């Protein structure tokens, strides 16, 4: 598993062709993400070069963060971040391939929990959520840093150190992401309205008529013709969904990469940790809730470890 | 209507300045939620200014509509000779011109000569005022804040020629176009009123706000002319339900004049104390409640006190549909500058809902102090990032505005956050 995650995108891609469906790929990917999480945690612990108090907390120009000194080199850190981002790229590449085969399943993934489904936006996470994730993690690290700083302690370089230029980059990114997100939401609305387009209404009526005539015994149904008519009405709609999913996934990946680009390697490590932790735990909690619901509702063991 | 009680506490007793604290239940709730974050700035950095209390009597005027007006020229140094010797010297004896002034905090006192030399050596234009500004969308999906900063925006009128600086913070509601218009126009209107009129600060600013408000409603009624890409698309009913707060500070060599409408706020940091220069216009502020009710309006508690159950502030630019209950008439505060002034903070409620005046002043003060020219802590590598040494003083203000913004976000501010920090120190 480790070797897979270390491999290049191409190498992985070949490996995935052996997966029988996207769900299997997702399960493998999730395990790899968990391994990356461990690596990221280790790396964040090794980066221990403290930033001077005022510099760390108030640095606002585009000063490059202090290079990590102890334990891990800047190159290693950059490589790790690169590798984890490539892992996300690989996810969306494979997802796109499976979307070609079964867009409906990808839009309503059976492998996610009801909890995750509630947060779903066009077959995945809402792009602006990534910015909120950054703000939240940054806020938490800022809090503890702030207290340390007030007590004159040195603090580690992390997301609490967002500089003026970083904040304006993120703010700009947020505005653009919201605009794109709204555009895609609008496209999705149009697409969903097509469910009740004239072609669909006509076809559903014709088939219902045929059904009634068959029940009366006046006329036999032509199942094949119905099938092909339904197919010709539905298949362009599936293509439409596929296009929208592509746009949504593209925005998700671009948002993620833009955030990483705006951050120092050390900060990126902290962001990727937060992203992986949130994804993995949300999935786990959701699964536990679903299982709890199935086995009679109350008292579901939310924090139960997965077997 | 009888203006506001002159309830602004000056001289360090900022903790009694209750009316300024956000009083809505939600704000209170939010403050409770953030208890786990223990802020210690006030203990560490904000020294109580007992000395100041005992020694000095600062003059602050909060001028309501019924207060006697003051002429601009009268307003200069009438009561402040004892407190502000340096400044009155500057204003009275030297002809203040933009070029002579090293920023808004310029002083011709002897203590400033060294820094003047330093700034000159760094190639800093002598008139550049020091300020920092941060304005972010934060956790909202719409950006409705706007900020306008215009150093040396006016030389005053012929009666009182001096170098004036303009700082305005606007927090829109309903849509962003009123705040945007304020950002584009307010300083021009104020400049026009200032240079072509001969009236008191209060009258001048009240007229400016009224003109601004009228421009907004004229502009809105001319629907279709503009192709502004805003959310409301300027359709009349929606357009009438759009407005903005406005807190405007004009900084002169010897005074700070703050004009406020709504719940954005200006706070002066003087010798470690926070002195509010505006009092939020909340519908449940007793005098505002009375004014609204006298005008035939009602304040309904619906997620906090709201005019007609809609708007959570009692004054604003715009908001045609809530007139005459919601008015655009500002409250004007005039305060003499003092050698102990450190900075002026203007911000929207995105900051003030989660950060107290004292905390904000403590943070800003720390940044300004740590940003002093012989910087105590600065890593060797970072020098390169100060493109010109001249920006290092601006950097302190930027640090302060960034830090306050980050603090607001860390304290779960759910609104847009806009912060302006103006360095008022004279002894740099």
């Amino acid at each position: 598993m480790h070797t897979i995650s270390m491999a290049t995108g191409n190498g992985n891609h070949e490996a995935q062709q052996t997966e029988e469906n996207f769900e299997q790929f997702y399960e493998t990917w999730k395990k790899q993400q968990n391994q990356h999480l461990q690596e990221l945690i280790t790396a964040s612990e090794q980066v221990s070069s403290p930033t001077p108090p005022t510099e760390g907390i108030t640095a606002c120009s585009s000063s490059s963060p202090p290079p990590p000194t102890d334990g891990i080199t800047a190159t290693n850190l950059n490589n790790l971040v690169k590798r984890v981002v490539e892992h996300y790229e690989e996810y969306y590449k494979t997802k796109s391939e499976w979307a070609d085969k079964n867009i409906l399943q990808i839009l309503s993934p059976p492998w996610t929990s009801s909890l995750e489904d509630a947060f779903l936006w066009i077959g995945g996470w809402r792009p602006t959520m990534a910015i909120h994730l950054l703000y939240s993690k940054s806020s938490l690290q800022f809090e503890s840093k702030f207290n340390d700083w007030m007590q004159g302690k040195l603090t580690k370089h992390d997301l609490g150190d967002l500089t003026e230029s970083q904040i304006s980059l993120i703010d700009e990114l947020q505005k653009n992401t919201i605009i794109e997100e709204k555009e895609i939401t609008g496209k999705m609305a149009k697409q969903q309205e097509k469910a009740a387009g004239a072609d669909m209404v006509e076809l559903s009526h014709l088939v219902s008529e045929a059904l009634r005539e068959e029940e009366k015994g006046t006329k036999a149904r032509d199942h094949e013709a119905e099938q092909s008519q339904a197919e010709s009405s539905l298949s362009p709609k599936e293509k439409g969904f596929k296009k929208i999913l592509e746009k949504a996934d593209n925005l998700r990946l671009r948002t993620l990469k833009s955030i990483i680009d705006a951050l120092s390697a050390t900060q990126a490590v902290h962001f990727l940790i937060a992203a992986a932790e949130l994804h993995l735990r949300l999935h786990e909690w959701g699964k536990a809730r679903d299982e709890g619901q199935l086995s009679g509702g109350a008292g579901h063991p939310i924090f139960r470890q997965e077997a | 209507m009888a203006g506001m009680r002159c309830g602004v506490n000056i001289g360090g007793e900022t903790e009694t300045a209750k009316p300024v604290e956000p009083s809505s239940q939600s704000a209170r709730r939010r403050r409770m939620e953030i208890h786990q974050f223990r802020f210690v700035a006030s203990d560490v950095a904000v020294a109580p200014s007992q000395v100041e209390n005992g020694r000095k009597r600062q003059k602050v005027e909060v001028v309501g509509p019924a207060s006697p007006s003051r002429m601009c020229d009268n307003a200069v140094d009438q009561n402040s000779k004892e407190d502000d010797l340096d400044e009155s010297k500057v204003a009275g004896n030297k002809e203040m011109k933009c070029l002579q002034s090293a920023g808004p905090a310029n002083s011709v006192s002897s203590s400033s000569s060294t820094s003047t030399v330093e700034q000159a050596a760094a190639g800093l234009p002598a008139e550049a005022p020091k300020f920092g500004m941060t304005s972010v969308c934060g956790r909202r999906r719409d950006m409705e804040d706007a900020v306008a900063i215009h150093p040396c925006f006016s030389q005053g009128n012929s009666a009182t020629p001096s170098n004036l600086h303009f700082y305005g913070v606007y927090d829109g509601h309903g849509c962003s176009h009123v705040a945007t218009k304020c950002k584009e126009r307010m300083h021009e209107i104020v400049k026009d009123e200032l240079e072509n009129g001969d009236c008191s600060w209060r009258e001048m600013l009240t007229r400016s706000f009224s003109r601004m408000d009228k421009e907004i409603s004229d502009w809105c009624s001319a629907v279709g002319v503009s192709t502004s890409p805003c959310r409301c698309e300027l359709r009349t009913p929606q357009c009438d339900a759009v407005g903005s707060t406005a807190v405007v500070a004009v900084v002169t060599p010897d005074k700070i004049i703050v004009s406020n409408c709504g719940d954005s706020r200006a706070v002066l940091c003087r010798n470690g104390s926070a002195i509010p220069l505006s009092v939020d216009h909340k519908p449940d502020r007793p005098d505002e409640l009375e004014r609204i009710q006298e005008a035939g309006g009602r304040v309904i508690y619906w997620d906090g006190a709201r005019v007609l159950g809609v708007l959570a502030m009692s004054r604003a630019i715009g908001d045609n549909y809530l007139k005459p209950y919601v008015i655009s008439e500002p409250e004007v505060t005039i305060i003499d500058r003092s050698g102990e002034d450190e900075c002026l903070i203007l911000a929207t409620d995105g900051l003030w809902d989660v950060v107290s005046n004292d905390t904000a002043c403590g943070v800003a003060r720390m940044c300004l102090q740590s940003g002093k020219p012989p910087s105590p802590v600065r890593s060797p590598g970072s020098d390169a990032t100060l493109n010109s040494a001249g920006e290092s003083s601006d950097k302190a203000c930027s640090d302060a505005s960034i830090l306050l913004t980050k603090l607001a976000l860390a304290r779960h501010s759910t609104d847009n956050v806009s912060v302006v920090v103006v360095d008022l120190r004279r002894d740099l």
Side-chain angles (χ1 to χ4, degrees), chain A residues 52 54-55 57-58 60-61 63 128 132 139 142-143 146-147 150 160-162 164 167 171 174 178 181-182, chain B residues 37-41 135-142 366 377-378 382 385 399 402-403 406-407 409-410:
Chain A
T54 50
E55 194 62 33
I57 198 138
T58 65
C60 76
S61 49
S63 63
T128 43
H132 283 252
S139 291
F142 177 84
E143 270 183 28
F146 199 77
N147 291 337
M150 294 305 302
D161 297 327
L162 290 180
E164 182 182 32
I167 286 185
D171 191 51
Q174 182 182 17
I178 288 172
E181 204 180 84
K182 281 181 179 166
Chain B
F37 180 36
R38 302 191 65 82
F39 184 84
V40 286
S135 183
V136 298
C137 199
R139 292 187 176 88
R140 281 277 302 267
R141 282 179 76 78
D142 299 296
M366 259 186 303
V377 192
R378 197 168 289 284
S382 67
T385 64
D399 284 350
I402 280 283
L403 196 52
K406 288 204 276 186
L407 187 59
L409 291 173

Side-chain angles (χ1 to χ4, degrees), chain A residues 170-240:
Chain A
I170 297 298
D171 191 51
E172 199 55 34
L173 175 69
Q174 182 182 17
K175 285 175 198 159
N176 293 333
T177 308
I178 288 172
I179 292 172
E180 288 197 59
E181 204 180 84
K182 281 181 179 166
E183 274 172 18
I184 298 173
T185 302
K187 284 187 200 304
M188 190 61 167
K190 264 187 163 176
Q191 179 66 23
Q192 289 178 324
E193 283 161 358
K194 286 182 186 166
D199 58 337
M200 298 287 278
V201 174
E202 187 184 19
L203 181 63
S204 64
H205 176 64
L206 289 178
V207 172
S208 303
E209 280 283 283
L211 195 65
R212 284 189 284 269
E213 282 181 18
E214 188 185 50
E215 274 168 8
K216 279 188 252 166
T218 46
K219 193 177 172 187
R221 278 176 75 188
D222 183 348
H223 287 278
E224 244 173 59
E226 280 174 15
Q227 194 75 40
S228 86
Q229 276 176 306
E231 188 58 37
S232 67
S233 273
L234 291 175
S235 123
K237 290 174 185 58
E238 289 193 15
K239 280 197 185 102

Side-chain angles (χ1 to χ4, degrees), chain B residues 2 62 100 116 126 185 194 226 266 279 304 325 338 340-342 357 392 397 410-411 413 425:
Chain B
V62 179
Q100 280 180 299
T116 311
R185 284 289 294 148
L194 190 68
S226 169
V279 184
Y325 323 123
S338 131
E340 291 174 322
D341 289 352
E342 287 159 305
N357 295 353
S392 63
C397 288
R411 291 183 167 192
S413 178
R425 291 172 300 171

Side-chain angles (χ1 to χ4, degrees), chain A residues 4-61:
Chain A
I4 290 179
S5 68
M6 298 282 279
T8 63
N10 274 344
N12 271 341
H13 176 57
E14 279 163 34
Q16 269 101 57
Q17 291 305 312
T18 62
E19 308 281 1
E20 276 174 30
N21 55 42
F22 188 70
E23 184 166 4
Q24 284 183 4
F25 167 79
Y26 173 72
E27 287 302 323
T28 311
W29 190 88
K30 201 155 54 76
K31 282 182 191 137
Q32 291 164 348
Q33 185 182 39
N34 198 37
Q35 285 167 356
H36 284 155
L37 177 59
Q38 306 314 318
E39 287 182 62
L40 289 162
I41 294 283
T42 309
S44 74
E45 282 163 356
Q46 284 172 342
V47 179
S48 60
S49 72
T51 41
T54 50
E55 194 62 33
I57 198 138
T58 65
C60 76
S61 49

